[in-house]
Amino acid sequence: MKQARFYETLEDNRVRCTLCPFRCILAEGETGVCGVRKNINGTLMSLVWSKAVASGCDPIEKKPLFHVLPGSKAFSIATVGCNMRCAFCQNSDISQYPRDTGGIIGQDLPPEKVVSMAVAAGCSSIAYTYTEPTIFMEYLLDIAVLAKEAGLLNVMVSNGFISTDVITGSLKGLIDAINCDLKAFSDRFYRDLCHARLSPVLDAIRAYHASGIFTEITTLIIPGENDSDEELRQIAAFIHSIDPDIPWHISQYRPMYRYDKAGPTPTGSLEKARETGLDEGLHFVYIGNVTGHGGEDTYCPNCSRPIIKRQGFRVRDMHMRKNRCEYCDHIIPGRF
């Protein structure tokens, strides 16, 4: 355990967690909605500091981050816990573990060990991923400082349910890139399927981008829930309103956890969503977790030629000079 950084003390030994928009007020002995932050004797404690439930090397493309050191490896790290309760969670065995079992699991992996393992494995970055990194923020920050000193990038994969002052204060200048979920564009979806709200996620995306953290966005397309033409156009228009250079990843849903009202997303729906994003003026729209459709490749928005060709999580061919298109010298946004 470690004392939390983001909370206020209240009367009667209560505390208010300020890390995410839930702003949980906890009496002594109570735990927040994330299941991993607890009031112990009037002090908010992180129960998962240095307790890694998953760690290992991944292609950076698996996050997915397509504009961050393409072809490199990221050392991925996670603890149990999440501040959302998505009925369709793809990693529910660890993200919902504290809520479903009442327990905390994980091996002791202190920050300096995480960084040394990443360097030894030849990774170029550390990815805070698999579960929601917001809820293990103290662990993340302690690792990230050491990672910077070792010359590694820090990247997050997040649901975006975080207080914006944490982004503009603690994460700015420390996190290099993020892939943030934008699960839908309706509060109904977030309320009923995620037990959260839409507006704080939109605020977080704006804050990440404004803080100079390179931002990519992912939407998991669930048939009958967030795949209407209107909603997809709203998502694309929102992204465009911030920056048309923000990459948008469209992913295929497969039945998971407690949601069984739909089967896998048809490939045609993914292709239609991609066309919607391009029609709305987005420069980079990708189809994820299905292969053989060409939606994984990066095209220069200036000359329209393919500059990064991918197959699965592997870069097959690349036509860039540092951060520029090899053909027309156009600057490609990202961390190259």
Side-chain angles (χ1 to χ4, degrees):
M1 291 191 297
K2 187 169 186 175
Q3 184 173 349
R5 299 192 191 191
F6 306 95
Y7 75 101
E8 302 167 350
T9 56
L10 305 174
E11 296 178 346
D12 302 321
N13 238 20
R14 296 178 302 154
V15 298
R16 176 188 288 115
C17 181
T18 59
L19 181 57
C20 91
F22 280 122
R23 289 292 202 273
C24 295
I25 296 177
L26 307 173
E28 187 172 335
E30 289 185 336
T31 304
V33 297
C34 61
V36 301
R37 304 173 74 79
K38 185 175 183 178
N39 180 350
I40 299 178
N41 298 322
T43 299
L44 186 63
M45 302 294 292
S46 168
L47 305 180
V48 291
W49 189 89
S50 190
K51 285 189 174 296
V53 72
S55 62
C57 294
D58 288 320
I60 191 75
E61 286 78 14
K62 190 176 181 180
K63 300 301 103 188
L65 285 165
F66 279 15
H67 289 235
V68 181
L69 303 180
S72 68
K73 293 189 296 183
F75 190 84
S76 298
I77 190 81
T79 74
V80 296
C82 187
N83 55 357
M84 285 191 185
R85 287 177 283 166
C86 297
F88 49 86
C89 181
Q90 308 290 290
N91 286 315
S92 60
D93 55 330
I94 52 177
S95 71
Q96 303 302 312
Y97 188 90
R99 185 175 291 109
D100 289 346
T101 71
I104 302 289
I105 56 172
Q107 68 174 111
D108 184 39
L109 207 60
E112 58 273 15
K113 180 65 173 176
V114 174
V115 175
S116 67
M117 290 171 68
V119 171
C123 295
S124 300
S125 60
I126 294 181
Y128 310 94
T129 181
Y130 300 144
T131 61
E132 176 48 48
T134 296
I135 59 90
F136 60 86
M137 185 58 64
E138 290 77 15
Y139 189 31
L140 181 159
L141 292 174
D142 288 345
I143 297 170
V145 169
L146 298 178
K148 280 287 187 183
E149 294 173 357
L152 303 176
L153 297 188
N154 289 297
V155 303
M156 291 174 61
V157 181
S158 174
N159 62 26
F161 209 66
I162 184 174
S163 298
T164 55
D165 55 354
V166 177
I167 299 171
T168 58
S170 298
L171 297 181
K172 183 178 180 179
L174 191 60
I175 298 298
D176 297 283
I178 185 168
N179 186 302
C180 188
D181 285 347
L182 182 49
K183 299 176 186 290
F185 213 76
S186 78
D187 209 53
R188 188 278 312 167
F189 182 104
Y190 271 91
R191 184 181 63 252
D192 294 350
L193 297 182
C194 306
H195 298 268
R197 291 175 289 125
L198 170 63
S199 60
V201 177
L202 303 182
D203 291 341
I205 291 171
R206 295 187 187 100
Y208 278 119
H209 184 267
S211 295
I213 297 169
F214 185 75
T215 303
E216 303 193 24
I217 291 173
T218 292
T219 303
L220 182 73
I221 305 296
I222 303 177
E225 295 289 359
N226 63 353
D227 62 341
S228 70
D229 291 345
E230 179 184 7
E231 189 158 359
L232 292 171
R233 201 163 294 280
Q234 287 175 324
I235 294 173
F238 169 76
I239 297 170
H240 188 277
S241 72
I242 300 174
D243 188 342
D245 278 337
I246 292 176
W248 184 26
H249 300 263
I250 299 161
S251 295
Q252 183 185 52
Y253 162 79
R254 298 182 182 94
M256 295 289 286
Y257 197 39
R258 296 177 176 175
Y259 186 87
D260 59 2
K261 295 181 180 179
T265 316
T267 302
S269 297
L270 302 177
E271 292 170 345
K272 186 176 180 180
R274 182 171 184 267
E275 288 302 317
T276 298
L278 295 172
D279 288 347
E280 285 295 315
L282 298 181
H283 294 159
F284 307 100
V285 186
Y286 300 105
I287 296 176
N289 66 357
V290 291
T291 58
H293 47 70
E296 302 165 298
D297 298 337
T298 299
Y299 293 84
C300 175
N302 184 57
C303 70
S304 301
R305 299 178 75 169
I307 52 176
I308 306 176
K309 294 183 178 181
R310 302 177 179 87
Q311 185 172 15
F313 301 126
R314 183 171 63 88
V315 172
R316 295 190 296 112
D317 197 15
M318 194 164 172
H319 296 278
M320 291 182 64
R321 289 191 296 266
K322 295 185 178 179
N323 66 333
R324 293 179 179 271
C325 171
E326 185 180 277
Y327 303 110
C328 70
D329 209 38
H330 184 77
I331 294 176
I332 306 300
R335 300 288 182 266
F336 297 103

